[in-house]
Amino acid sequence: MSTMNAIEIHEFGGANVLAVREIPKPSADSSHVLVKVEAAGVNFIDVYQRTGLYKNPLPFVPGMEGAGTVEAIGESVEGFAPGDRVAWCMTTGAYAEYAKVPTRVLVKVPDAISLDIAAAALLQGLTAHYLVRSSFELKAGHTALIHAAAGGVGLLLVQMAKALGAFVIATTSTEEKAALVREAGADHTILYSSQDFLEATRTLTGGTGVDVVYDSVGASTFTRSLRCLKPRGMMVTFGQSSGPIEPFSPLRLAEYGSLFLTRPNLAHYLRDRQETDWRAGELFASIEQGKLHVRVDSTYALSEAGKAQTALESRGTAGKLLIHPGRI
Ligand code: NDP
């Protein structure tokens, strides 16, 4: 039996459960291809799956995003061939030398885009895409408040929101990160670690409030984010980097101005091949045309997966973290 190196989680817990193990190399079948993984993206969802906040059956190989080269395809697989450069997200298994990937989540990577950039862009880029195009359709004239704007999703979201003509107010924790956010195009940055972002947003909007808040921070920002909105504004809560939001009464939405609230998940915005191809096509085209810049913060070896996730959790990063499973 041939084997490979992979991170395999046998129990939920801290970063120490991310140990390299030698496990059987998977193979392709009628609906999956076998990919040699060049780069795996590190995402907050990997942390939630590691700790058990999102429960996967144990054991499992983590890593919800990757890019690499197709090594083998199953008999009835159509549209992909050995040698194709591909990327995927929203299925586990990327923290490994080889991944068995369902064709339904696989996209081809244009020649002009490196596999590192593809792995860095896909999950967070598709997320930013559905947030501005579908959760709330941003248009010129809208004002958006974007939290954690120097993060992986954040930097892409700011650039996409600006490209659609919105006025962007963005929060982040340090001046260094704020400089990156302004470089990405934000009109105003607020250091929400030392400044009251509600008061600052009200001042910046002349007391009117914003049309939409994109909030991935969760517990520490949620209630004040609602109060940043205009009457009938849209609250998009799409993450909980500071912890899960406490249960609350829908009556609060009426009190704060008949607000709308959505808690979306990328999986529901990649419903079928057509929707995935549309979003990935627009994402890759904007990277190829130099309209969207993907910032890679740092790259880790497979055995450093725990270090990578700890870095993401520690708020010290700006942009994307990658793992190269070929380096043990
Ligand atoms: P980020 O790179 O944005 O990292 C998280 C950032 O959150 C930190 O850098 C930090 O930025 C900010 N933050 C604020 N408070 C805390 C805290 N207490 N602990 C840690 N971080 C904090 O991560 P990603 O881009 O990978 O993901 C961002 C969020 O989006 C995650 O919550 C993730 O789950 C969610 N997400 C949701 C998806 C969906 O479809 N629903 C899809 C993809 C991601 P700062 O220092 O500036 O405060």
Side-chain angles (χ1 to χ4, degrees):
M1 178 184 60
S2 80
T3 61
M4 67 171 184
N5 289 307
I7 302 287
E8 193 176 62
I9 294 183
H10 286 230
E11 57 177 327
F12 300 119
N16 60 313
V17 303
L18 299 171
V20 178
R21 298 170 195 265
E22 196 177 330
I23 64 169
K25 181 177 165 183
S27 42
D29 66 19
S30 57
S31 57
H32 294 76
V33 303
L34 180 70
V35 181
K36 186 169 197 302
V37 184
E38 171 113 357
V42 179
N43 293 288
F44 246 90
I45 194 168
D46 305 344
V47 174
Y48 304 146
Q49 291 180 345
R50 186 199 78 213
T51 59
L53 178 68
Y54 294 174
K55 291 211 166 21
N56 275 342
L58 296 166
F60 69 97
V61 176
M64 293 286 275
E65 175 179 41
T69 308
V70 174
E71 181 146 304
I73 61 168
E75 255 177 42
S76 48
V77 165
E78 285 175 8
F80 296 97
D84 281 351
R85 298 165 74 251
V86 291
W88 68 94
C89 64
M90 300 310 279
T91 184
T92 53
Y95 288 19
E97 287 180 284
Y98 293 89
K100 177 178 177 175
V101 184
T103 51
R104 69 181 161 75
V105 297
L106 206 59
V107 294
K108 285 191 188 161
V109 177
D111 289 343
I113 297 180
S114 73
L115 291 173
D116 265 11
I117 292 298
L122 198 65
L123 192 150
Q124 294 169 336
L126 294 177
T127 300
H129 188 277
Y130 86 69
L131 291 172
V132 297
R133 300 295 302 277
S134 307
S135 290
F136 180 86
E137 252 194 289
L138 259 191
K139 296 206 165 53
H142 282 142
T143 300
L145 173 63
I146 298 177
H147 287 306
V153 176
L155 283 173
L156 300 171
L157 194 51
V158 168
Q159 293 176 74
M160 287 189 198
K162 282 312 298 173
L164 291 167
F167 184 81
V168 173
I169 302 172
T171 64
T172 187
S173 63
T174 67
E175 188 45 56
E176 294 74 32
K177 287 188 178 187
L180 292 171
V181 173
R182 284 192 294 271
E183 214 177 286
D187 296 283
H188 281 282
T189 50
I190 301 170
L191 296 184
Y192 60 179
S193 39
S194 54
Q195 250 181 304
D196 179 347
F197 73 81
L198 169 57
E199 205 180 291
T201 303
R202 283 197 178 145
T203 305
L204 286 166
T205 57
T208 315
V210 298
D211 296 280
V212 57
V213 180
Y214 295 109
D215 187 339
S216 67
V217 174
S220 66
T221 49
F222 179 72
T223 305
R224 279 177 305 142
S225 292
L226 289 175
R227 296 175 59 207
C228 289
L229 285 160
K230 275 180 188 168
R232 294 169 30 190
M234 171 67 90
M235 172 70 179
V236 186
T237 163
F238 68 99
Q240 56 263 324
S241 302
S242 68
I245 296 161
E246 292 290 316
F248 86 113
S249 164
L251 203 54
R252 301 271 286 277
L253 299 175
E255 278 167 29
Y256 294 152
S258 300
L259 305 177
F260 292 86
L261 169 68
T262 181
R263 201 321 182 173
N265 181 320
L266 175 58
H268 302 127
Y269 286 86
L270 301 176
R271 246 177 332 199
D272 51 29
R273 168 58 48 198
Q274 202 184 357
E275 189 168 33
T276 302
D277 285 346
W278 167 54
R279 296 195 195 282
E282 290 203 358
L283 174 68
F284 286 149
S286 52
I287 296 171
E288 272 185 292
Q289 291 158 13
K291 292 180 184 159
L292 186 72
H293 174 68
V294 181
R295 184 175 198 274
V296 176
D297 179 279
S298 37
T299 304
Y300 298 84
L302 190 61
S303 58
E304 296 174 320
K307 197 172 152 191
Q309 289 195 3
T310 304
L312 185 65
E313 289 175 275
S314 72
R315 294 181 86 158
T317 64
K320 188 71 187 185
L321 307 185
L322 292 176
I323 292 173
H324 280 166
R327 281 198 291 130
I328 308 302

